[in-house]
C-alpha cells in the first residue's frame, strides 16, 4: 500500500521483539503509572494525564475498556509556560528528547516546539497543548531513578 518493503533483517528484528513484547509492555506500563503518581505529587505540575488516574476525564471509560491497563504514554503540564519547559528539559539530565515517541528508554516530547510548532498558540490551546505541556513515552528503566529525574527536573523548572 505504501510502497515500502522492510528488509529481511528488519522483519527478523520485529519478529524477535514480539517474543518479549508482553514483558516489555508490562514493565513500561508499570513505570508509567509510578511516574504519573510522582509527577502528580509535584507542586509545579498543573496536571497529569494518565488514563488510570481517577482525575482523568475518561477514567470510567478506561476502566470499562482497558481495566487497570493505562499503557506507557502519559502527559503532564508544568506551570510557568515555555520558560519552565526549557528549564525542565535542561534539568532532565539523561532523558532523551524526541519529536516522536516509542523506545525501550523513556523519551520526552514537547509538542509546542516539535510536533505542533506550526500551529498558533490559540490552536494549540484548543487542543490542550500549552507551552508547559509534555508527552512522555515511558521505557523500561528502573522506576525510582526515572521518577527522580523527572521530579528533579520539575524542581529545576520552578527555581
Amino acid at each position: 500500500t505504501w510502497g515500502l518493503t522492510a528488509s529481511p533483517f528488519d522483519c527478523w528484528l520485529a519478529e524477535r521483539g514480539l517474543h518479549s513484547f508482553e514483558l516489555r509492555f508490562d514493565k513500561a506500563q508499570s513505570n508509567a503509572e509510578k511516574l504519573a503518581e510522582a509527577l502528580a505529587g509535584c507542586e509545579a505540575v498543573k496536571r497529569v494525564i494518565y488514563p488510570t488516574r481517577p482525575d482523568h476525564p475518561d477514567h470510567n471509560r478506561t476502566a470499562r475498556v482497558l481495566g487497570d491497563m493505562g499503557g506507557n504514554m502519559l502527559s503532564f503540564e508544568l506551570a510557568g509556560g515555555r520558560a519552565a519547559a526549557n528549564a525542565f528539559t535542561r534539568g532532565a539530565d539523561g532523558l532523551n528528547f524526541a519529536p516522536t515517541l516509542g523506545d525501550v528508554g523513556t523519551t520526552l516530547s514537547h509538542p509546542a516546539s516539535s510536533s505542533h510548532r506550526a500551529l498558533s498558540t490559540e490552536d494549540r490551546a484548543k487542543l490542550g497543548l500549552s507551552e508547559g505541556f509534555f508527552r512522555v513515552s515511558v521505557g523500561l528503566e528502573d522506576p525510582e531513578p526515572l521518577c527522580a529525574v523527572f521530579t528533579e527536573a520539575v524542581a529545576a523548572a520552578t527555581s
Side-chain angles (χ1 to χ4, degrees), residues 41-118:
C42 294
E43 193 173 312
V45 174
K46 289 171 64 173
R47 64 182 171 140
V48 175
I49 303 170
Y50 187 69
T52 61
R53 287 184 48 79
D55 58 353
H56 190 281
D58 293 321
H59 173 73
N60 292 335
R61 180 182 307 163
T62 299
R64 218 174 33 254
V65 175
L66 302 175
D68 61 352
M69 297 177 65
N72 73 314
M73 296 292 299
L74 67 93
S75 297
F76 68 97
E77 183 178 7
L78 289 173
R82 179 62 72 95
N86 291 342
F88 174 86
T89 55
R90 283 191 302 273
D93 190 38
L95 195 58
N96 294 321
F97 188 84
T100 60
L101 300 168
D103 195 359
V104 295
T106 297
T107 57
L108 180 70
S109 174
H110 182 248
S113 65
S114 59
S115 59
H116 292 74
R117 69 185 175 277

Side-chain angles (χ1 to χ4, degrees), residues 3 5 14-15 21 25 35 41 63 66 75 82 105 120 123 129 145 148 151 155:
T5 304
E15 182 179 18
F21 175 77
F25 184 74
L35 180 57
L66 302 175
S75 297
R82 179 62 72 95
S120 68
D123 287 342
L129 304 175
T151 55

Side-chain angles (χ1 to χ4, degrees), residues 17-37:
L18 290 175
H19 297 293
S20 62
F21 175 77
E22 187 175 350
L23 294 170
R24 290 181 287 114
F25 184 74
D26 287 347
K27 173 68 172 166
Q29 184 170 248
S30 172
N31 285 353
E33 191 170 341
K34 290 172 184 163
L35 180 57
E37 291 306 313

